[in-house]
Amino acid sequence: MTLATILIPAFNEVAVIERTLLHMSRGMSLADFRIVVIANACTDATAAKARSIMPQAVVIETGKAGKCNALNLGYKEADPDKPVICLDADLDVTAESLTSLIVPILEGTALASCGQMDVRASEASHLVRAYYKGWRTNPYFDRGKFGGLFALSAEAAKTVFPLPEITADDEYIRRSFSIEETAFVKECRFVARAPLSLSSLFKVRCRSLRGAREVQAMGLRKSEGSSVKAVIGRALRQPTGAFSILVYLSVNTAARFVLALRPSGKSGHWGRDLTTRVAS
């Protein structure tokens, strides 16, 4: 019996889609999950690679760009009575973690759930490594990372799909549910790769903050997220981490300043880090 549908939107991910699919399929019962890969405006062989690595997956191809459009198309292939898992195509997660992610949903104790993101930054520059060391001190992450990977109950999915054309789909969905309705599953861990350069990291942060600004303008519930005061407080209690926190706060402050100088506007294209889109 299928437990959930996994939606994997993918835009020119031929370099990493194999790694993602192989990582998650180890030990996975093919009967437990319906896997849907949505190749979104790809100009490479993402779709063909996904089919060759996981023949049992449903692979959709669309010429229209946009992650939200890709997720909407994928949701049409989902079982409307089962949970839905959204997974970015460049993340490493095991079948065990995916199964643990939907436990509170299947038990009826949560409408949404997220896990713990581990960032691999060993190959990144010194300042990028410092940024992510400071990033880990943000109180927001005490309750996991709702982004890149999260799960929704069947009822919750019906309330957010179809998604509007926005940049920050994960932020939009996160703000659609309260903290009490969202479970943090500590047993679910997944790995993201840090941008290799500070310039690439800066572009990623600008995109993330722009997306959050778009969602804020939609009038959804206020984000119960990070607190600069709390981050600084942790730096004072842990002086050895002060430099990393300073880098973290500086990058985010600079990104906010740059965005303040730009006219607001929606973008249906993915702004993302290309330095990690390299085959293993």
Side-chain angles (χ1 to χ4, degrees):
M1 180 180 68
T2 301
L3 298 177
T5 299
I6 303 174
L7 306 182
I8 308 176
F11 170 58
N12 286 347
E13 302 283 14
V14 69
V16 296
I17 191 69
E18 177 177 0
R19 181 185 70 205
T20 298
L21 293 178
L22 288 178
H23 202 89
M24 65 181 280
S25 64
R26 294 192 186 104
M28 175 182 283
S29 171
L30 301 183
D32 287 346
F33 296 99
R34 179 174 174 80
I35 300 167
V36 183
V37 178
I38 311 96
N40 151 333
C42 294
T43 57
D44 63 8
T46 295
K49 177 66 74 172
R51 291 188 179 101
S52 67
I53 297 302
M54 190 171 283
Q56 71 274 18
V58 175
V59 179
I60 301 171
E61 295 185 70
T62 174
K64 182 179 178 180
K67 186 179 178 183
C68 288
N69 174 64
L71 288 171
N72 289 339
L73 291 176
Y75 181 65
K76 293 179 180 178
E77 296 290 333
D79 184 334
D81 299 318
K82 298 293 176 62
V84 172
I85 297 173
C86 297
L87 170 66
D88 283 359
D90 61 334
L91 300 178
D92 295 350
V93 62
T94 65
E96 291 78 10
S97 283
L98 289 171
T99 301
S100 67
L101 187 62
I102 60 174
V103 168
I105 290 175
L106 295 176
E107 292 178 344
T109 58
L111 293 177
S113 61
C114 64
Q116 180 68 54
M117 175 189 282
D118 298 318
V119 179
R120 175 180 165 182
S122 57
E123 300 173 0
S125 70
H126 173 66
L127 288 177
V128 172
R129 293 197 304 272
Y131 174 90
Y132 280 102
K133 186 176 179 181
W135 175 86
R136 292 187 185 95
T137 68
N138 192 324
Y140 167 75
F141 300 112
D142 292 346
R143 292 187 56 84
K145 178 68 170 71
F146 199 106
L149 171 66
F150 54 86
L152 302 172
S153 70
E155 294 74 17
K158 291 173 184 175
T159 66
V160 298
F161 283 100
L163 298 170
E165 291 291 337
I166 53 176
T167 301
D169 58 286
D170 49 1
E171 183 71 7
Y172 172 83
I173 293 173
R174 182 177 76 90
R175 294 198 193 190
S176 297
F177 306 100
S178 66
I179 286 181
E180 293 73 25
E181 295 170 323
T182 305
F184 168 34
V185 182
K186 295 182 180 180
E187 296 79 11
C188 175
R189 304 187 75 93
F190 60 101
V191 177
R193 285 161 176 76
L196 300 185
S197 66
L198 186 63
S199 61
S200 188
L201 170 63
F202 187 75
K203 292 176 183 177
V204 170
R205 290 307 303 149
C206 284
R207 175 192 179 277
S208 177
L209 292 172
R210 184 182 71 243
R213 184 171 64 181
E214 290 176 3
V215 173
Q216 184 70 35
M218 298 175 72
L220 294 178
R221 62 166 48 87
K222 185 178 179 180
S223 175
E224 300 167 79
S226 62
S227 166
V228 172
K229 183 178 179 180
V231 172
I232 294 175
R234 290 189 177 189
L236 294 176
R237 293 193 299 272
Q238 302 173 355
T240 57
F243 174 73
S244 296
I245 291 176
L246 176 62
V247 173
Y248 170 75
L249 293 175
S250 297
V251 170
N252 286 341
T253 300
R256 292 182 186 279
F257 178 75
V258 169
L259 287 178
L261 299 179
R262 295 177 181 173
S264 60
K266 296 183 179 181
S267 172
H269 300 283
W270 294 4
R272 55 169 184 174
D273 168 45
L274 297 178
T275 63
T276 55
R277 260 66 181 191
V278 180
S280 302

